Amino acid sequence: MRLFCLPHAGGSAGTYRRLLGNRMAGVRVTALEPAGRGTRAHEPPHRTMRGTADDLSIRAADVLAGDVLAGDDPDGYALLGHSLGALLALEVAYRLTRRGRPAPRLLVVSGRNPPHLAPEATDLHRADLSDEDLFARLVALGGTTARASGPLIYRTFMPVLRADLALAGTYRPPADRRPLDCPLLVLYGRDDPLTSAAALRQWHRYTSGPYRFRSLSGGHFFPMEHPRDFAAVVEEECAALPGRRSR
């Protein structure tokens, strides 16, 4: 099965190769990189959810079409996204199904309240924050370290982060959209100040299929704080999907 991974605000999808490895028990970890970071750092970031999700869904569809042309059957696909990536994963899933693809074997949303609800704390989305204040808030969440600050980071990283935060802060899902028909897994850090258990439970409205909630130790960036635990849960949930072929 091919697992498309989408990053948090300001992050790179390539991080998942370090967190999950390139292949886990028959799961092909595939970074689905938005413009403006990682291997696409030379491209300007998209400013809307529509543009970002359209771009990423086309890239995912191309990968899946390439598998077919190569005579390679990846046993379906799954999507995983953390924080902003959770919203992107949801939108990519909808777009792939509209393109005639089957629904994902699994949709994993991590570290994000459902899209009809705001994060529990919204200071990060304030447009009037200076680079220094915004960076300090990111450090407090565990997304980076204070020693990483400096003019180069502010010049290269902060524009991407701000674009991503604006994208997440203005996104609203269509009110008349039907739920996806796929399993949904919600992962969250027990000490994450941006989510709450009550809010996370409302992710169930986005699927007509089975859904599960699993908490892990850590704060908002729990996948990076506890990568082995995170990888073990993802691998376990993928392996338990009905109809998965053994590898």
Side-chain angles (χ1 to χ4, degrees):
M1 182 174 70
R2 191 175 287 280
L3 175 63
F4 292 109
C5 298
L6 299 110
H8 58 82
S12 169
T15 300
Y16 289 102
R17 292 198 181 96
R18 174 173 54 83
L19 295 176
L20 302 176
N22 289 322
R23 193 178 183 99
M24 316 180 299
V27 176
R28 304 179 189 181
V29 178
T30 304
L32 202 53
E33 193 81 273
R37 80 287 323 274
T39 58
R40 303 181 67 189
H42 61 288
E43 302 178 41
H46 290 281
R47 300 290 176 174
T48 66
M49 180 64 75
R50 174 178 291 181
T52 305
D54 284 349
D55 171 52
L56 294 173
S57 62
I58 290 170
R59 288 174 176 271
D62 287 346
V63 171
L64 295 172
D67 289 337
V68 173
L69 288 174
D72 190 6
D73 181 0
D75 193 20
Y77 72 96
L79 291 157
L80 182 159
H82 180 72
S83 197
L84 169 65
L87 306 181
L88 293 173
L90 178 71
E91 287 298 317
V92 170
Y94 272 111
R95 281 162 171 74
L96 287 176
T97 56
R98 286 206 304 265
R99 289 172 173 271
R101 294 280 175 186
R105 300 290 304 275
L106 178 66
L107 174 61
V108 184
V109 292
S110 169
R112 184 58 164 81
N113 284 346
H116 65 283
L117 299 176
E120 301 300 305
T122 57
D123 277 358
L124 284 171
H125 297 275
R126 285 174 45 194
D128 62 336
L129 286 176
S130 67
D131 284 345
E132 292 79 7
D133 287 342
L134 179 56
F135 196 85
R137 282 163 169 77
L138 189 62
V139 171
L141 285 173
T144 187
T145 61
R147 64 176 178 272
S149 65
L152 179 60
I153 287 293
Y154 294 156
R155 187 170 64 252
T156 59
F157 169 69
M158 298 304 280
V160 176
L161 176 62
R162 288 186 183 277
D164 284 354
L165 290 174
L167 186 154
T170 58
Y171 167 66
R172 298 293 182 273
D176 58 349
R177 180 185 270 173
R178 296 180 63 182
L180 292 165
D181 182 18
C182 69
L184 175 68
L185 172 64
V186 181
L187 301 179
Y188 61 99
R190 286 190 281 271
D191 299 318
D192 184 356
L194 301 187
T195 62
S196 71
L200 289 163
R201 292 283 170 184
Q202 296 191 48
W203 269 107
H204 74 84
R205 68 172 63 183
Y206 292 89
T207 183
S208 59
Y211 53 89
R212 285 167 54 79
F213 301 85
R214 296 189 63 169
S215 65
L216 289 88
S217 297
H220 183 63
F221 289 99
F222 67 91
M224 295 74 178
E225 295 173 33
H226 303 284
R228 289 186 180 180
D229 294 344
F230 177 70
V233 167
V234 173
E235 185 170 14
E236 175 186 334
E237 293 287 341
C238 288
L241 290 173
R244 282 295 313 280
R245 296 192 297 269
S246 59
R247 296 282 177 171

